[in-house]
Amino acid sequence: MTPVPAALRRSVLSHRAAFWVQASVLVVLMAASSAPSPLYPVYQAQWGFPPVVLTVIFAAYVLALLGALLTVGALSDHLGRRPVLLAALCLEIISMLVFMLAGSQVDLIAARLLQGLATGTAMGALGAYLIELETAVRPGLGTVLNGAGPTLGLAVGAVAASLVVASAPGSVHLIFVVLLALLVLQLAGTALGPETVTRIPGALASLRPRVHFPRATRRTALWVLPGAVATWALGGLILALGPSLVRSMAGPDAVVLTGLIIAALTGTGCLASLLLGNARSHQVLALGMAALFVGLAASIPALILHSTGAYFAAIVVAGAGFGAGFLGVLRILMPLVAAHERAGLLSAIYVASYLANSVPAVAAGAVAGRAGLTPTAVGYTGAVMALALFVLLCLLVRSRTSARRIQDRGVVGAGTAAARSR
């Protein structure tokens, strides 16, 4: 990519300050995406809509998000990071206003559509922006926050909304007021920040819907990407069925626990990402997949025995795998591409991740009505475990192959040295 002219680099905010502003944007966007989930039972009780509407609301967000990722996901590689992020934040602010004024399920669907468009528009640009600003803070920190930020935001949004429901069920719009205020401040901060890329041709062509993995990543993505699919599929299970599973085990009055189960997954995922930020990329992925497999294996007997405590403990372990696994995927794939390919690659990773997050969850919701909630969750869990095991086996094969190559080089080197000595 062409270096950014000095005139573009100048800004009111320093690169360091802009980095932390964008880190907060990532957290708040994801908090806003999970905040509505604990509120749906309240809306359902107020407006009396059938359960199928919940599926429609969930699907509206995901479809809009995927549509944005497929079309404008790489746009910031051509127009710059700031213009795309400013547009995304404006859309997110409008969605918060719609949530605040919502009076029916139609309003909720509209708000989630806007929110999906905003989040999908922002994700690729935001992730690339953090990586480009990270040198002012600490090299590598942008990639770590790309892994930790979404999980932290999901946890904060879910817990905050569930606490609002528990303490002030008549003021469910309060969470959206707080998010709106934060987003307005972040809009101003983004407008005052620096641009990190210069414009290049191809903006209109980049709007053609596609999922593009640059050539340098394709062979690696074949075995690494299932790690992202496994982690986000688990996220879909907890976001879609987790609150219902907790209510089935702990009783219908366990309102706060329905938000805490999401936090058990995403909060520990964030912590794992931060703690493993300096570890080797393949080691991070291996630890993530191992923790995911062990935690999910422990969750199956907890589900069968209807043990709330055991299930929470298992999800905490799996949550560490959630965070470390996705961070490992990013740490392996992102260094393989040039700067002008970052937003496009991140968007492609998020397309795969959100498909894994949504399609199986919607299918599980449909199956649960016939097969039962617990059997569906057990089957879903087994499928995610199989994906984690596949990635672990690929890592093992790769490790042995690398060791064999090193050994062969040593033998060849020793033979060459012996020949020279003769």
Side-chain angles (χ1 to χ4, degrees), residues 127-212:
Y129 201 21
L130 281 170
I131 291 171
E132 289 151 7
L133 292 168
E134 69 181 10
T135 53
V137 183
R138 191 183 79 198
L141 185 58
T143 303
V144 171
L145 291 182
N146 269 306
T151 53
L152 175 61
L154 289 170
V156 170
V159 172
S162 63
L163 289 174
V164 168
V165 172
S167 59
S171 303
V172 293
H173 65 280
L174 180 61
I175 186 70
F176 301 116
V177 174
V178 174
L179 289 168
L180 175 64
L182 292 172
L183 288 164
V184 169
L185 291 174
Q186 291 169 340
L187 179 69
T190 300
L192 297 174
E195 181 56 77
T196 53
V197 300
T198 190
R199 294 192 177 197
I200 60 174
L204 287 177
S206 74
L207 298 178
R208 185 176 71 252
R210 63 174 181 165
V211 177
H212 177 65

Side-chain angles (χ1 to χ4, degrees), residues 396-421:
L396 180 62
V397 170
R398 184 187 179 281
S399 176
R400 288 184 174 179
T401 302
S402 298
R404 192 176 298 114
R405 286 175 181 171
I406 293 171
Q407 185 178 22
D408 290 343
R409 287 172 189 166
V411 171
V412 171
T416 303
R420 286 175 180 173
S421 66

Side-chain angles (χ1 to χ4, degrees), residues 257-350:
L257 290 182
T258 61
L260 289 179
I261 191 63
I262 298 173
L265 177 77
T266 56
T268 53
C270 172
L271 183 61
S273 298
L274 294 174
L275 291 176
L276 295 172
N278 293 323
R280 294 173 56 188
S281 55
H282 288 78
Q283 184 180 39
V284 173
L285 183 59
L287 288 171
M289 292 298 100
L292 196 69
F293 186 89
V294 171
L296 289 178
S299 75
I300 292 177
L303 284 169
I304 295 173
L305 297 173
H306 293 277
S307 173
T308 307
Y311 190 66
F312 264 86
I315 295 303
V316 165
V317 176
F322 178 92
F326 189 60
L327 175 62
V329 172
L330 295 177
R331 288 273 302 277
I332 290 172
L333 291 179
M334 291 307 296
L336 301 178
V337 299
H340 68 277
E341 297 174 312
R342 284 176 184 152
L345 174 59
L346 275 168
S347 295
I349 293 171
Y350 277 117

Side-chain angles (χ1 to χ4, degrees), residues 5-422:
L8 284 178
R9 290 198 300 267
R10 287 195 294 268
S11 64
V12 174
L13 293 182
S14 67
H15 278 58
R16 174 182 287 272
F19 176 86
W20 291 113
V21 167
Q22 297 312 312
S24 73
V25 170
L26 179 58
V27 173
V28 170
L29 281 176
M30 299 311 295
S33 73
S34 65
S37 295
L39 308 180
Y40 292 150
V42 178
Y43 290 130
Q44 190 175 16
Q46 287 179 350
W47 301 329
F49 54 79
V52 68
V53 172
L54 295 177
T55 303
V56 174
I57 295 170
F58 180 77
Y61 172 78
V62 173
L63 289 175
L65 185 146
L66 289 173
L69 285 172
L70 289 169
T71 52
V72 299
L75 189 60
S76 73
D77 286 335
H78 302 274
L79 297 184
R81 309 304 183 203
R82 282 197 314 165
V84 173
L85 285 171
L86 289 171
L89 286 168
C90 287
L91 283 172
E92 188 74 24
I93 286 170
I94 295 171
S95 74
M96 293 299 103
L97 290 171
V98 176
F99 271 121
M100 288 168 57
L101 301 173
S104 71
Q105 59 266 38
V106 175
D107 296 330
L108 294 181
I109 294 170
R112 286 299 262 176
L113 281 170
L114 286 168
Q115 197 175 40
L117 287 172
T119 306
T121 299
M123 293 308 289
L126 185 52
Y129 201 21
L130 281 170
I131 291 171
E132 289 151 7
L133 292 168
E134 69 181 10
T135 53
V137 183
R138 191 183 79 198
L141 185 58
T143 303
V144 171
L145 291 182
N146 269 306
T151 53
L152 175 61
L154 289 170
V156 170
V159 172
S162 63
L163 289 174
V164 168
V165 172
S167 59
S171 303
V172 293
H173 65 280
L174 180 61
I175 186 70
F176 301 116
V177 174
V178 174
L179 289 168
L180 175 64
L182 292 172
L183 288 164
V184 169
L185 291 174
Q186 291 169 340
L187 179 69
T190 300
L192 297 174
E195 181 56 77
T196 53
V197 300
T198 190
R199 294 192 177 197
I200 60 174
L204 287 177
S206 74
L207 298 178
R208 185 176 71 252
R210 63 174 181 165
V211 177
H212 177 65
F213 284 89
R215 185 181 299 276
T217 67
R218 290 173 189 170
R219 289 186 63 182
T220 305
L222 287 175
W223 65 270
V224 170
L225 201 60
V229 172
T231 57
W232 283 83
L234 173 59
L237 170 67
I238 298 303
L239 284 170
L241 299 182
S244 298
L245 287 168
V246 168
R247 283 197 296 269
S248 71
M249 291 185 284
D253 296 328
V255 177
V256 175
L257 290 182
T258 61
L260 289 179
I261 191 63
I262 298 173
L265 177 77
T266 56
T268 53
C270 172
L271 183 61
S273 298
L274 294 174
L275 291 176
L276 295 172
N278 293 323
R280 294 173 56 188
S281 55
H282 288 78
Q283 184 180 39
V284 173
L285 183 59
L287 288 171
M289 292 298 100
L292 196 69
F293 186 89
V294 171
L296 289 178
S299 75
I300 292 177
L303 284 169
I304 295 173
L305 297 173
H306 293 277
S307 173
T308 307
Y311 190 66
F312 264 86
I315 295 303
V316 165
V317 176
F322 178 92
F326 189 60
L327 175 62
V329 172
L330 295 177
R331 288 273 302 277
I332 290 172
L333 291 179
M334 291 307 296
L336 301 178
V337 299
H340 68 277
E341 297 174 312
R342 284 176 184 152
L345 174 59
L346 275 168
S347 295
I349 293 171
Y350 277 117
V351 166
S353 299
Y354 273 101
L355 282 172
N357 182 258
S358 58
V359 175
V362 171
V367 171
R370 297 182 178 181
L373 189 60
T374 298
T376 300
V378 169
Y380 193 124
T381 298
V384 176
M385 288 173 63
L387 282 171
L389 184 60
F390 168 79
V391 177
L392 283 171
L393 291 174
C394 289
L395 281 165
L396 180 62
V397 170
R398 184 187 179 281
S399 176
R400 288 184 174 179
T401 302
S402 298
R404 192 176 298 114
R405 286 175 181 171
I406 293 171
Q407 185 178 22
D408 290 343
R409 287 172 189 166
V411 171
V412 171
T416 303
R420 286 175 180 173
S421 66
R422 287 196 295 269

